[in-house]
Amino acid sequence: MKTVLVTGGAGYIGSHCCKAFAEAGWSVIAYDNLSRGWRDAVKWGPLVEGDICDAAAVSAALRQYKPDVVAHFAAYAYVGESVERPELYYRNNSFGSLVLFEEMLKVGADKLIFSSTCASYGVPVRSPIDEMHPQSPINPYGWSKFIIERMVDSLSFAHGLNAVVLRYFNAAGCDPDGEIGERHEPETHVIPLAIEAAVRPGRIFTVNGTDFDTRDGTAVRDYVHVTDLARAHVLAGEKLLRDKGVDVYNLGTGTGTTVKELVDAVNRASGSRVPVAYGPRRAGDPPALVAAAGKAYRELGWVPEQSGIDRIVETALAWYRSR
Ligand SMILES: NC(=O)c1ccc[n+]([C@@H]2O[C@H](COP(=O)([O-])OP(=O)(O)OC[C@H]3O[C@@H](n4cnc5c(N)ncnc54)[C@H](O)[C@@H]3O)[C@@H](O)[C@H]2O)c1
Ligand SMILES: O=c1ccn([C@@H]2O[C@H](COP(=O)(O)OP(=O)(O)O[C@H]3O[C@H](CO)[C@H](O)[C@H](O)[C@H]3O)[C@@H](O)[C@H]2O)c(=O)[nH]1
């Protein structure tokens, strides 16, 4: 049986990945400091409570569990917070990753799956965005991830680190079995906020910007179901057991959804109407981010199965109602 150590395994995407690896027959260890995660989201193996910035704790976990692959999700991931407090992002994300990678290399753990982001592309110069698109982030969160990608390249060249770098577009939806879901506090992501406005009396959903150059003036994103993302990590883990080097893949569907279309989907799924207000653009929001994800389809054999917008909203709503 192969072992994966999942940093950030108590978080939203990390916990869904723990489930996917366990279902694929891997032994799963979650490593998380619970700063933004949830103890009860760790269900598919032990939780090691530790910080990636703590070299001794990372080293102890690596030595105890001897993972074949490390899947590295642990990070702060709020764009707005990163603009206000960039130091948090460079320390926790960039420095923390360096600590993790150094400790991995010391014990000979040389296989990494890294959670990167479409935010590393910045404002696209062409769409859909393929992996060769220039990376020029427009916020410190994106830069903190960009720096980690460069560290991965350099450590691969110098010390033989092998990695699959996955640039997710917008992770969305929840475990279709309802065992885990999306839990961020505060919640800033569009789908949970639209659902909350549909379901909780008195809440209003604000559309951030109606003057984008898009089909209805609202921002376009490529929403990909978290369970599909999770499966891509298992495929990436299997690839790392076969191949050496560093590979980079976008994970998206190639289909964009506007904020207004999303609200329509929430209306359909909930049977009620989202009360909507229209506000200004949110600082740093690109008009449209849509993936060209053919490389992942071709090389990993990854096909998104649950990423239609109605399915995403249906699973997110079921999770919301179950709480
Ligand atoms: N949510 C998205 O749409 C999205 C898109 C692209 C990339 N990503 C990336 O995917 C990863 C997971 O995102 P998420 O939405 O699940 O976030 P999340 O906040 O739900 O999960 C992150 C987890 O990492 C843990 N963590 C943070 N700092 C840590 C540290 N120093 N040591 C140990 N644990 C630590 C948190 O406690 C939390 O459980 C992040 O790296 C994020 O940048 C997310
Ligand atoms: O109440 C809201 C919330 C969001 N939006 C809009 O909906 C779209 C999607 O917003 P999200 O906050 O859900 O997601 P982002 O596109 O901002 O995602 C960014 O932040 C994520 C981290 O949280 C990921 O890293 C992702 O790669 C990165 O692009 C944006 O146009 C946003 O302005 C609204 O209109 N109203």
Side-chain angles (χ1 to χ4, degrees), residues 7-16 31-38 48-54 72-78 89 91-93 96 114-119 141 144-145 166-172 181-185 189 224 226 229 233:
T7 77
Y12 168 46
I13 308 175
S15 61
H16 286 80
Y31 184 95
D32 199 299
N33 65 0
L34 300 182
S35 57
R36 297 188 175 187
W38 309 91
V48 178
E49 257 185 89
D51 196 302
I52 53 165
C53 299
D54 179 346
H72 175 35
F73 297 86
Y76 293 157
Y78 291 126
Y89 282 70
R91 170 167 289 277
N92 197 53
N93 297 0
F114 171 59
S115 303
S116 191
T117 169
C118 63
Y141 166 67
S144 76
K145 293 281 178 170
L166 299 174
R167 295 183 188 143
Y168 320 148
F169 281 63
N170 286 57
E182 182 164 14
R183 278 158 88 188
H184 296 111
E185 274 182 21
H189 293 90
V224 52
V226 67
L229 283 185
H233 291 71

Side-chain angles (χ1 to χ4, degrees), residues 117-124 126-129 133 168-170 214 219-223 252 254-257 284-292:
T117 169
C118 63
S120 69
Y121 292 115
V123 178
R126 60 173 187 271
S127 186
I129 301 169
H133 186 286
Y168 320 148
F169 281 63
N170 286 57
T214 60
V220 171
R221 294 290 182 272
D222 186 340
Y223 297 94
T255 300
T257 303
D285 266 358
L289 293 171
V290 178

Side-chain angles (χ1 to χ4, degrees), residues 153-171:
D153 291 338
S154 306
L155 293 171
S156 174
F157 181 79
H159 304 303
L161 181 68
N162 302 294
V164 174
V165 173
L166 299 174
R167 295 183 188 143
Y168 320 148
F169 281 63
N170 286 57

Side-chain angles (χ1 to χ4, degrees), residues 78-259:
Y78 291 126
V79 171
E81 182 184 63
S82 82
V83 175
E84 282 158 25
R85 300 194 62 195
E87 64 283 3
L88 283 184
Y89 282 70
Y90 292 116
R91 170 167 289 277
N92 197 53
N93 297 0
S94 308
F95 169 75
S97 295
L98 180 59
V99 172
L100 171 70
F101 301 161
E102 280 191 281
E103 296 311 314
M104 284 173 60
L105 290 167
K106 278 187 204 163
V107 301
D110 64 353
K111 296 178 181 58
L112 169 77
I113 304 171
F114 171 59
S115 303
S116 191
T117 169
C118 63
S120 69
Y121 292 115
V123 178
V125 294
R126 60 173 187 271
S127 186
I129 301 169
D130 60 30
E131 291 82 355
M132 300 304 287
H133 186 286
Q135 287 177 288
S136 183
I138 56 169
N139 52 61
Y141 166 67
W143 282 116
S144 76
K145 293 281 178 170
F146 175 92
I147 289 168
I148 302 166
E149 286 200 15
R150 301 294 76 77
M151 291 194 301
V152 168
D153 291 338
S154 306
L155 293 171
S156 174
F157 181 79
H159 304 303
L161 181 68
N162 302 294
V164 174
V165 173
L166 299 174
R167 295 183 188 143
Y168 320 148
F169 281 63
N170 286 57
C174 298
D175 173 36
D177 303 327
E179 292 188 273
I180 38 176
E182 182 164 14
R183 278 158 88 188
H184 296 111
E185 274 182 21
E187 189 53 79
T188 60
H189 293 90
V190 65
I191 293 177
L193 288 176
I195 286 176
E196 188 161 29
V199 172
R200 278 181 65 176
R203 297 282 168 137
I204 293 176
F205 174 77
T206 302
V207 176
N208 297 331
T210 52
D211 58 348
F212 290 106
D213 185 15
T214 60
R215 53 185 171 268
D216 62 18
T218 65
V220 171
R221 294 290 182 272
D222 186 340
Y223 297 94
V224 52
H225 198 287
V226 67
T227 298
D228 285 332
L229 283 185
R231 230 169 6 82
H233 291 71
V234 178
L235 295 169
E238 289 166 356
K239 183 177 194 320
L240 281 165
L241 299 177
R242 291 191 306 267
D243 300 336
K244 293 202 169 301
V246 177
D247 288 291
V248 180
Y249 299 101
N250 284 342
L251 295 180
T253 66
T255 300
T257 303
T258 70
V259 176

